[in-house]
Amino acid sequence: MRCPFCKNDDTRVVDSRVADDGLAIRRRRSCAECGRRFSTVEAAVLSVVKRNGVTEPFSREKVMKGVRRACQGRSVDEDALAKLASQVEDTVRGLGSAEIPSNEVGLAILRPLRDLDEVAYLRFASVYKSFESADDFQKEINELRERV
């Protein structure tokens, strides 16, 4: 790791701790050249492979943005959205792969969203599953009713 102060490559780890609920490691480092200390955070990268083949890093914020749009006008608070985004990240990380197809992220969103707010679930599902008619909505509503 290069020292951010003097740009020397010779640094050593002084201390390591688990951070971000076990998803990252915070390391305290010391530079052998200038003696200054600095911290680094290491995290495993989780990538999402989109339908067109483009790969981008997984983003809780992007999950929250999509769900927030589906929840517009509903009484769903930011804490619930943050919790849902965390559940989605835990689910896709649990798949055990460094690259996750975007449809797996969508499926991971649908499950907790159904429990959070049924109307928001229908809105999200209508876009995610590409509903084309009222029959598609009716079929999904019937499945929701059977679940209860």
Side-chain angles (χ1 to χ4, degrees), residues 60 64 68 77-88:
R60 282 187 189 180
M64 287 177 62
R68 188 178 294 119
D77 64 3
E78 286 295 310
D79 288 341
L81 293 179
K83 183 178 177 184
L84 184 140
S86 180
Q87 288 175 315
V88 169

Side-chain angles (χ1 to χ4, degrees), residues 14 19 23 35 39 43 47 56 61 77 93 96 113-114 123 129:
V14 177
L23 298 176
S39 295
S47 299
E56 64 181 43
E61 286 301 316
D77 64 3
R93 283 192 185 277
L113 184 56
R114 184 178 356 176
R123 289 175 178 171
K129 294 182 177 181

Side-chain angles (χ1 to χ4, degrees), residues 19-114:
D20 203 17
D21 294 328
L23 298 176
I25 297 175
R26 181 180 178 273
R27 298 197 193 279
R28 192 75 180 135
R29 296 178 177 269
S30 176
C31 177
E33 183 71 26
C34 69
R36 294 179 78 178
R37 291 184 173 206
F38 60 98
S39 295
T40 59
V41 178
E42 298 175 18
V45 176
L46 179 62
S47 299
V48 177
V49 181
K50 305 191 85 156
R51 290 180 187 143
N52 63 4
V54 174
T55 302
E56 64 181 43
F58 175 85
S59 166
R60 282 187 189 180
E61 286 301 316
K62 193 166 181 182
V63 169
M64 287 177 62
K65 182 180 174 185
V67 174
R68 188 178 294 119
R69 197 173 307 128
C71 292
Q72 204 165 21
R74 306 292 299 161
S75 59
V76 177
D77 64 3
E78 286 295 310
D79 288 341
L81 293 179
K83 183 178 177 184
L84 184 140
S86 180
Q87 288 175 315
V88 169
E89 184 173 11
D90 290 346
T91 300
V92 295
R93 283 192 185 277
L95 296 174
S97 178
E99 289 189 344
I100 306 296
S102 60
N103 66 318
E104 290 292 332
V105 176
L107 289 173
I109 292 170
L110 285 173
R111 292 178 193 117
L113 184 56
R114 184 178 356 176

